[in-house]
Amino acid sequence: MLQVMQIMSYWLLLLYFITFAVYSYDFFADKKFLHNAKRLFLFVTLLLHAIYLVERTIFLGHLPIVTQFEIFSLLAFAIGFTYFMLELLTDIRGTGAFILIFSFIFQTQATLFIKDDYLANTLLQNYPLGTHVITAILGFSAISIASAYALMYLLLYKNIKTNKFSTIFKRLPNLEILELLNFYAIIIGFVLLTIAIVIGFTWLPSAFPTFSYWDPKIIATLIVWLIYGVEIILKSRKNIIGQRFAKFSLYGFIFSILSLLFTSTILNSFHDFAN
Amino acid sequence: MDILGISINHKTASIALRETLHLSVDEIKEFIPILKENVFSEGFILSTCNRTEIFGIPKHDNVTYKSIQNCLLKFKHVEGLSSEHFLNYFSCSAVKHILEVASSIDSLIVGDGQIHGQVKDAFHLSNELDFSNTIFHKLYETSVRVGKRSISETLIGQGAVTVSFAAIKVLEKIFSSFESKSALVIGAGETGALATVHLKEKGIGKLSIANRTLSKAESLAKKVGGSVIDFNLLSNSLEEFDIIVSATSSDNYIIEYEEVKLMMKKRKGALACIMDIAVPRDVNPKVAKLDGMFYNDIDSLNVIVNENLQKRKREIPEVNKIIMEEMTTFFKWSNTLDVVPTIKDFRDFFEEIRLDEIGKIRHKVHDYEFEKVDNMTKRIIGRILHYPTKNLKRLSETGTDYETAKKYSDIVRELFNLDKRNNGKE
């Protein structure tokens, strides 16, 4: 079982790479035959990833949400799945490469560094923790997608501004749509992070004797939550629009990724359940 | 096939010369009876701003390119035009040229869809005036098919190839919908009018027009259902517009950097776009530096136009493939036109002999015996004529070698005296 899981992990990495490559190739080459085929690649990748997560849950006896690399794998899945649903609902197919690159990066980290044999805290096998972690992961997925739209916005903005009319100009949806998708993704991310934080504050103090409100992960997450909260208010009041809004989203995402990496690797936190 | 034709178009003559030979619908209606009387048994005339094409089946051997040209020049009372301004076509090349025109690869703007309708109209007019018969009916069907296939099977009609349309394409990359947007068109000349039409077609929410001559602005506004803005007070209302199209003939800037800066300040960062399609430019290009402001002049829009034109030109080989396929089908069909009567006469000839011979024994044998002989002779004739018929059909249907098919048809007619029989000489 362990060996199968390891093989599947490498297969997942390969599939994410192929899917990302196919989406990128279609973005630049605009081949008709890839318009539907690329979606099939993504579907197969997500299906295998779902099987992998179920298998891992059965093997470990708890949800694979304990180490940061398990969370990275879940993030890769959540981003891919969210994008897949968005593509199905909106039929905007030109943005996949910009979003699936995140899935590929997260899954690369997960495949290379994930541990399959560790002792997990028994507290992790309960319902509130699962909800807390899954909402947090989905929230981070949403803000990752928002940042991808923000990046697309800035690239297209620059293209039109400089009269380049490159592939970016031809293949991306228009600026207003990208701004709207960015905003929606941020709202979804903010709501999910709010749920994760509320559950965390109500459940974690009673579950962990070492719980502290000054835990670096909690502070970092609160800052991320605040950044996006402020962004939503400013956007709703039309204080920031267009390029500034896109930059705000991108900076928020960069901060959230850096803080996640920093608090997971350098600082000590009671959130590291693998030990 | 004896299709003969002449063409004067953008490749051979200047617009001034083309204009002198342009035929209006009324003139075509007047000219076709003249052609019918002296030149062609059937044919068609296509006359647009970029070309005049006259094609037909000559009534007799004396009809030459020169006689068609002279006929046209005489009709239009034009002198001083030489043969070098005309392109001449015969047989295969004539059909190929008609199909190239119909596919729009011969147009001034390659892939210009307007030509499809113009070719259709020309054939319809010809039909209406009883100038179109079997061959030109078929040629009409083939031309329409080539036009449709070129559009659906290739990218010949893709992409914006006019500055106004390219401007719309840029706007579509900025705004998701035109319905909630407001546009100002400065200049009520031809370019300005075209811009209003494009914006209206895209469903612009609010359209305003400003022009130095107020009456012109009012007239255009009335035509497109827009409002009028006082040209002298333009800077006061710039911030109201998401899209500004400027196409005046002014020698100086009519919108300055400071005015646009103030406009963007009032818009609080909301995106806006200025399409400066005037030469010389109407808007200070420095405005492009302002955050949230997209500025395009005619040069930047021409980048899109030229790129799309190049793309369309790259599709020409694909369209040529379609033309070749359709030409093959057309000539297969046309070759059978000569062979089919030969096959019929040939079979009739044998049938007559058979009937003549069995008629001689009609009253000498019993009915059942006669029936047997009748069936037997039918089978014999059928078997004798099977290969000659099949081979004649094959010769006519394979390839576009009209001459070979005709040669075989003539040999059969000569060997079996088919023409003399038809003329009642034997």
Side-chain angles (χ1 to χ4, degrees):
Chain A
M1 190 95 164
L2 187 68
Q3 207 176 1
V4 173
M5 225 158 58
Q6 282 167 345
I7 293 168
M8 275 182 88
S9 179
Y10 280 100
W11 266 102
L12 267 181
L13 179 59
L14 182 69
L15 277 172
Y16 271 110
F17 174 74
I18 292 171
T19 307
F20 167 66
V22 169
Y23 269 84
S24 304
Y25 180 72
D26 183 52
F27 180 81
F28 291 106
D30 191 16
K31 297 286 177 196
K32 267 185 187 171
F33 72 95
L34 281 178
H35 286 0
N36 290 322
K38 63 181 183 182
R39 192 179 278 179
L40 190 69
F41 275 102
L42 180 56
F43 176 75
V44 171
T45 307
L46 291 173
L47 187 69
L48 186 78
H49 204 154
I51 294 168
Y52 170 77
L53 292 173
V54 170
E55 194 190 0
R56 199 170 173 87
T57 306
I58 294 166
F59 178 74
L60 296 172
H62 59 81
L63 288 168
I65 51 174
V66 175
T67 66
Q68 70 258 35
F69 298 112
E70 282 184 331
I71 287 171
F72 280 173
S73 185
L74 256 181
L75 264 171
F77 177 78
I79 291 169
F81 183 74
T82 313
Y83 172 72
F84 185 66
M85 294 311 289
L86 265 175
E87 193 186 289
L88 283 180
L89 291 172
T90 60
D91 206 33
I92 296 171
R93 302 177 188 213
T95 59
F98 293 86
I99 291 167
L100 294 172
I101 191 170
F102 290 106
S103 287
F104 174 62
I105 291 169
F106 283 127
Q107 189 54 43
T108 307
Q109 294 268 331
T111 301
L112 296 179
F113 303 112
I114 204 161
K115 284 178 187 168
D116 298 315
D117 49 347
Y118 60 86
L119 283 173
N121 196 319
T122 48
L123 280 166
L124 300 171
Q125 293 166 23
N126 69 31
Y127 175 74
L129 181 80
T131 317
H132 167 73
V133 175
I134 286 170
T135 47
I137 287 170
L138 286 172
F140 276 109
S141 305
I143 58 171
S144 304
I145 288 174
S147 72
Y149 284 125
L151 181 69
M152 283 181 247
Y153 184 98
L154 293 172
L155 288 173
L156 181 59
Y157 182 92
K158 200 177 173 202
N159 250 257
I160 305 174
K161 264 283 201 191
T162 53
N163 300 323
K164 286 257 173 68
F165 312 123
S166 66
T167 309
I168 299 278
F169 176 81
K170 285 167 205 149
R171 305 281 287 126
L172 285 183
N174 61 62
L175 289 176
E176 282 190 345
I177 289 279
L178 289 172
E179 187 171 350
L180 199 67
L181 288 169
N182 179 7
F183 187 48
Y184 285 164
I186 285 172
I187 291 174
I188 294 166
F190 181 76
V191 170
L192 290 166
L193 280 182
T194 309
I195 295 168
I197 289 167
V198 168
I199 294 173
F201 276 141
T202 49
W203 177 75
L204 291 176
S206 59
F208 292 92
T210 55
F211 176 83
S212 161
Y213 284 104
W214 297 105
D215 182 84
K217 246 183 199 173
I218 292 176
I219 292 169
T221 308
L222 277 175
I223 294 171
V224 171
W225 180 80
L226 267 174
I227 289 171
Y228 285 104
V230 168
E231 188 177 13
I232 289 169
I233 292 167
L234 291 175
K235 171 74 180 162
S236 306
R237 291 160 57 97
K238 292 187 177 173
N239 290 118
I240 51 159
I241 46 177
Q243 199 189 192
R244 283 182 202 168
F245 177 66
K247 281 182 179 169
F248 204 127
S249 297
L250 213 53
Y251 295 149
F253 175 71
I254 291 167
F255 177 82
S256 59
I257 285 294
L258 288 178
S259 66
L260 194 71
L261 286 171
F262 195 61
T263 54
S264 300
T265 53
I266 297 169
L267 298 173
N268 286 325
S269 167
F270 73 91
H271 266 89
D272 191 1
F273 306 122
N275 303 316
Chain B
M1 180 177 291
D2 297 337
I3 294 182
L4 196 64
I6 58 161
S7 168
I8 180 163
N9 58 45
H10 58 274
K11 292 175 186 167
T12 64
S14 65
I15 188 159
L17 289 177
R18 297 199 305 268
E19 272 171 359
T20 59
L21 290 181
H22 176 261
L23 294 161
S24 66
V25 174
D26 288 337
E27 283 175 319
I28 292 174
K29 282 180 179 173
E30 206 182 315
F31 188 46
I32 281 180
I34 298 169
L35 286 176
K36 268 171 83 176
E37 197 181 323
N38 305 313
V39 188
F40 293 138
S41 56
E42 61 171 312
F44 96 119
I45 297 172
L46 169 71
S47 194
T48 69
C49 54
N50 285 323
R51 62 178 68 248
T52 295
E53 312 268 345
I54 303 172
F55 283 82
I57 307 287
K59 282 189 99 167
H60 43 76
D61 292 344
N62 298 335
V63 175
T64 61
Y65 309 119
K66 197 75 194 163
S67 51
I68 311 168
Q69 289 170 18
N70 290 340
C71 197
L72 175 66
L73 295 174
K74 195 177 161 192
F75 178 78
K76 289 292 288 183
H77 308 291
V78 173
E79 284 175 8
L81 264 176
S82 63
S83 290
E84 72 191 42
H85 295 115
F86 291 94
L87 290 170
N88 305 315
Y89 299 97
F90 175 64
S91 187
C92 249
S93 70
V95 174
K96 188 166 184 273
H97 177 71
I98 293 170
L99 298 185
E100 281 171 351
V101 171
S103 70
S104 73
I105 59 169
D106 198 57
S107 298
L108 180 62
I109 298 169
V110 173
D112 182 11
Q114 222 182 352
I115 195 72
H116 303 306
Q118 289 165 336
V119 168
K120 266 188 189 179
D121 291 344
F123 275 110
H124 282 166
L125 190 58
S126 174
N127 197 33
E128 202 180 286
L129 298 170
D130 205 18
F131 190 41
S132 177
N133 215 319
T134 321
I135 291 172
F136 272 81
H137 278 162
K138 192 72 180 176
L139 199 49
Y140 164 67
E141 285 171 17
T142 309
S143 303
V144 171
R145 205 164 41 246
V146 164
K148 280 183 184 169
R149 286 187 63 192
S150 309
I151 293 295
S152 62
E153 294 175 25
T154 73
L155 301 174
I156 197 79
Q158 297 283 304
V161 288
T162 62
V163 168
S164 331
F165 200 46
I168 294 290
K169 287 285 162 199
V170 173
L171 291 171
E172 280 178 339
K173 280 290 166 186
I174 300 169
F175 305 114
S176 60
S177 152
F178 284 66
E179 283 161 25
S180 58
K181 299 289 175 288
S182 55
L184 168 67
V185 176
I186 309 168
E190 200 181 327
T191 317
L194 190 63
T196 60
V197 171
H198 281 316
L199 287 166
K200 211 65 196 167
E201 277 172 0
K202 288 287 165 191
I204 191 81
K206 184 187 161 199
L207 181 61
S208 300
I209 294 141
N211 194 61
R212 228 180 269 276
T213 315
L214 189 66
S215 60
K216 272 192 176 180
E218 284 172 341
S219 163
L220 182 59
K222 200 177 167 188
K223 217 162 140 187
V224 295
S227 58
V228 176
I229 297 269
D230 189 341
F231 187 85
N232 299 313
L233 301 171
L234 267 181
S235 55
N236 296 345
S237 48
L238 287 179
E239 75 276 7
E240 293 169 23
F241 301 100
D242 305 290
I243 300 160
I244 297 170
V245 181
S246 194
T248 75
S249 50
S250 170
D251 290 331
N252 304 311
Y253 294 145
I254 56 169
I255 300 176
E256 277 297 347
Y257 174 75
E258 289 304 323
E259 290 171 313
V260 180
K261 194 177 171 186
L262 186 65
M263 163 196 170
M264 292 311 286
K265 199 177 169 188
K266 286 179 184 171
R267 284 178 66 82
K268 293 176 182 168
L271 301 180
C273 186
I274 293 179
M275 293 291 169
D276 188 355
I277 48 179
V279 179
R281 292 182 288 193
D282 284 342
V283 184
N284 188 334
K286 247 176 81 182
V287 301
K289 289 177 186 166
L290 291 166
D291 189 25
M293 163 56 68
F294 298 97
Y295 171 81
N296 289 87
D297 59 18
I298 206 150
D299 278 354
S300 68
L301 293 171
N302 267 331
V303 171
I304 299 179
V305 170
N306 291 332
E307 198 180 305
N308 287 331
L309 277 173
Q310 288 308 313
K311 264 190 198 168
R312 286 186 178 196
K313 281 180 185 165
R314 285 199 289 271
E315 290 297 305
I316 289 177
E318 290 303 310
V319 176
N320 273 326
K321 275 185 200 166
I322 293 172
I323 290 174
M324 283 313 291
E325 282 170 24
E326 293 296 339
M327 272 181 76
T328 308
T329 312
F330 177 79
F331 278 100
K332 269 184 187 178
W333 169 86
S334 77
N335 288 344
T336 60
L337 285 182
D338 289 307
V339 173
V340 166
T342 303
I343 292 171
K344 190 181 174 300
D345 290 347
F346 186 46
R347 295 190 77 95
D348 285 351
F349 170 67
F350 276 81
E351 182 63 8
E352 264 177 47
I353 294 171
R354 190 187 73 81
L355 289 174
D356 190 38
E357 289 303 318
I358 63 164
K360 288 175 186 170
I361 59 158
R362 181 74 187 88
H363 302 293
K364 293 177 186 171
V365 294
H366 287 291
D367 283 351
Y368 73 90
E369 285 173 324
F370 179 77
E371 201 181 318
K372 273 187 179 176
V373 174
D374 187 43
N375 286 336
M376 187 183 70
T377 52
K378 272 184 189 167
R379 281 199 303 275
I380 291 170
I381 298 296
R383 288 184 71 176
I384 289 170
L385 297 185
H386 175 71
Y387 283 110
T389 309
K390 196 179 154 190
N391 288 334
L392 269 176
K393 275 190 182 167
R394 182 181 54 79
L395 271 171
S396 64
E397 285 173 1
T398 50
T400 53
D401 189 359
Y402 164 74
E403 292 302 328
T404 311
K406 191 170 185 318
K407 190 172 82 185
Y408 277 87
S409 171
D410 287 347
I411 290 169
V412 171
R413 298 196 82 83
E414 182 66 27
L415 284 176
F416 293 93
N417 249 355
L418 299 180
D419 290 326
K420 286 178 186 169
R421 281 181 66 253
N422 282 351
N423 294 336
K425 288 182 182 174
E426 195 171 294

